[in-house]
Amino acid sequence: MWKRGMSIVVLMAMIVSISAISGCFGGAPPDFRNETEKYDLAVQQYNNAKTLYHQGNYPVAKAEFSAVIRHFQDNKSVFETISKGNYTSKEIYLSKKLVNNADQYSYAAAFYRDAADAAARGDKDYAYAIELNAEEFDQAARLTYEDIREELLPYLHNWK
C-alpha cells in the first residue's frame, strides 16, 4: 500500500514538473510587446559594451559582451516560441526575423568578447584580426535590426 501511495506521489510530481515546464498550469505565453522591449535593452547593452571596447576598457567590455550573449540567446528562445505560437502573422514574421538577428548580434558580441580578451592580454594584432570579424557581424546585425525596427515601430504604435 505504501509503495502504491509513493508511486502516485512520484507520478503526480512528474506531471506537475512537466506541466510547469511546458506552461500547462498557468504559464503565460510571452507578450510580444514586452519581449521586443527586452530585445531593445539587449541591443543597448551590446552598444554600451562596444563603446567600452573602443574606449579600451577591455576587461569590463569582455564581461558585458559575455552577458549580452546570454541575453540575445534568451531573446532568441522567446522569439522562437512566439514564431511557433498563436500570435498574429505580423508578430510571427517579425519574431522569425528577430531570431536571426539575435544570432547575428550573438556572433558579433562573441567576436568582440574574444577581441577584448586578446587586447586585455596585450595581443593587439590578434585583437585587431578578431575585431575585423566582429565588425562584419556587427554591421549585418545593425542593418538588419534597423530594418526590423522600421517594420516593428509602426506595428507597435498601431497595436495599442
Side-chain angles (χ1 to χ4, degrees):
M1 175 91 165
W2 183 80
K3 287 184 180 183
R4 179 194 254 166
M6 284 305 292
S7 297
I8 292 173
V9 169
V10 170
L11 181 63
M12 289 303 293
M14 288 175 53
I15 290 172
V16 169
S17 65
I18 291 171
S19 298
I21 292 169
S22 64
C24 293
F25 290 130
D31 178 73
F32 183 77
R33 177 182 284 270
N34 289 339
E35 296 306 325
T36 57
E37 289 172 4
K38 290 178 186 176
Y39 194 85
D40 290 341
L41 291 174
V43 171
Q44 288 174 2
Q45 183 182 5
Y46 168 83
N47 289 330
N48 291 339
K50 203 166 86 168
T51 299
L52 291 167
Y53 175 82
H54 289 299
Q55 290 173 345
N57 195 346
Y58 302 122
V60 176
K62 179 184 172 187
E64 286 295 312
F65 283 124
S66 295
V68 80
I69 290 168
R70 288 188 297 276
H71 292 297
F72 280 122
Q73 291 307 305
D74 290 345
N75 286 319
K76 178 183 173 183
S77 295
V78 169
F79 284 115
E80 283 175 335
T81 300
I82 291 173
S83 71
K84 296 173 186 168
N86 189 21
Y87 293 86
T88 68
S89 60
K90 186 70 168 183
E91 291 171 350
I92 291 171
Y93 168 76
L94 290 170
S95 292
K96 288 178 181 178
K97 290 180 110 178
L98 287 166
V99 165
N100 292 332
N101 192 237
D103 275 340
Q104 290 173 323
Y105 270 118
S106 292
Y107 292 138
F111 277 119
Y112 270 120
R113 178 202 58 208
D114 294 346
D117 185 47
R121 289 190 321 260
D123 194 351
K124 301 289 185 184
D125 291 337
Y126 186 58
Y128 179 71
I130 297 171
E131 185 180 337
L132 293 176
N133 289 320
E135 288 175 0
E136 287 184 35
F137 278 101
D138 175 71
Q139 183 179 12
R142 187 174 25 83
L143 294 174
T144 303
Y145 180 68
E146 289 171 3
D147 290 344
I148 294 169
R149 293 292 294 165
E150 284 183 22
E151 293 182 72
L152 183 62
L153 290 177
Y155 176 74
L156 291 177
H157 187 287
N158 292 331
W159 189 44
K160 294 178 184 178

